[in-house]
Amino acid sequence: PVLLVPLALLARRRRGRRTPPLRLLVVAGSGGHTTEILRLLSCLSESYSPRHYILADSDKMSEAKIRSFEQKRAETFSNSQFTLDRIPRSREVRQSWTSSVVTTLYSILYSLPLTYKLKPDLILCNGPGTCVPVCISALLLGLLGLKRAIIVYVESICRVETLSLSGKILYYFSDYFIVQWPDLKEKYPKSVYLGRIV
């Protein structure tokens, strides 16, 4: 019985410990991308704070969705913190490949100081073109030894047989590449298949 007292105190102390906060950077995108990423975020604990959202400057709908999500989250977690930042869109729909290179480079140069300022521990994205310059900026900061961020890419549920363009690029650079269909896991062996998660 005497030995059980210290074990009980140790167990209580471990339960009382909080997980240290994790600075999370979330790349939102127009259309269904923001809806999917917010569904993922709804499963995360309060340890993922602050949450920094980055969206394209031409994305008009995502900000309202994010603010509504965060307002509901604040009802559950009183110390909920988030920021919203915008960067130039790297590629518009039907934009030529040649001009896409220029706009993507511009977007990378714009997002590099922002990513440095936010210093995320974890980057979560699911396919909008905006995530490519943000992730490349984070990789550059890691290579320079300034800040290493873990990149988690979740391919959109609508991608059943092929990856999105963002997915094809970030498949090689992300730390964890998650797909939601078994066919994609067969084609891309580095990926992790978890079934439907959104």
Side-chain angles (χ1 to χ4, degrees):
V2 175
L3 293 174
L4 292 178
V5 173
L7 290 175
L9 291 172
L10 184 61
R12 185 182 299 162
R13 190 178 299 157
R14 283 184 182 159
R15 275 193 302 257
R17 270 191 213 148
R18 293 190 55 203
T19 307
L22 202 67
R23 297 173 67 88
L24 177 63
L25 192 154
V26 180
V27 184
S30 55
H33 290 294
T34 298
T35 302
E36 284 187 13
I37 207 81
L38 292 178
R39 282 186 193 154
L40 283 173
L41 290 178
S42 66
C43 302
L44 298 181
S45 73
E46 62 182 317
S47 298
Y48 293 86
S49 180
R51 285 167 304 289
H52 302 290
Y53 296 91
I54 294 183
L55 47 146
D57 53 7
S58 59
D59 184 354
K60 305 301 180 200
M61 293 187 301
S62 294
E63 183 173 348
K65 289 180 182 178
I66 291 166
R67 289 193 183 279
S68 174
F69 169 80
E70 286 293 338
Q71 188 175 6
K72 288 177 187 167
R73 189 172 176 90
E75 294 169 6
T76 308
F77 304 114
S78 57
N79 62 347
S80 187
Q81 300 173 21
F82 76 99
T83 64
L84 275 166
D85 289 287
R86 292 181 177 272
I87 63 170
R89 189 181 287 273
S90 59
R91 184 173 186 271
E92 295 287 348
V93 177
R94 296 187 189 90
Q95 183 179 347
S96 73
W97 293 107
T98 309
S99 63
S100 293
V101 172
V102 175
T103 54
T104 300
L105 286 173
Y106 175 65
S107 190
I108 291 169
L109 290 173
Y110 195 94
S111 61
L112 195 57
L114 177 60
T115 309
Y116 176 72
K117 181 184 88 170
L118 299 175
K119 290 186 175 60
D121 299 306
L122 175 66
I123 297 176
L124 181 62
C125 49
N126 70 330
T130 309
C131 70
V132 174
V134 172
C135 290
I136 289 173
S137 298
L139 288 168
L140 289 172
L141 291 175
L143 289 173
L144 294 171
L146 298 173
K147 175 65 180 179
R148 167 81 169 94
I150 295 171
I151 299 172
V152 177
Y153 183 94
V154 181
E155 186 59 275
S156 175
I157 188 72
C158 66
R159 288 294 174 167
V160 179
E161 295 179 356
T162 60
L163 297 179
S164 61
L165 179 59
S166 301
K168 288 175 182 173
I169 295 168
L170 293 177
Y171 176 75
Y172 300 99
F173 303 112
S174 59
D175 295 285
Y176 300 95
F177 192 93
I178 299 167
V179 295
Q180 301 185 63
W181 295 95
D183 288 355
L184 288 177
K185 171 63 182 167
E186 290 176 19
K187 290 180 183 176
Y188 301 94
K190 178 198 164 191
S191 66
V192 177
Y193 169 62
L194 298 176
R196 183 173 176 170
I197 59 174
V198 295

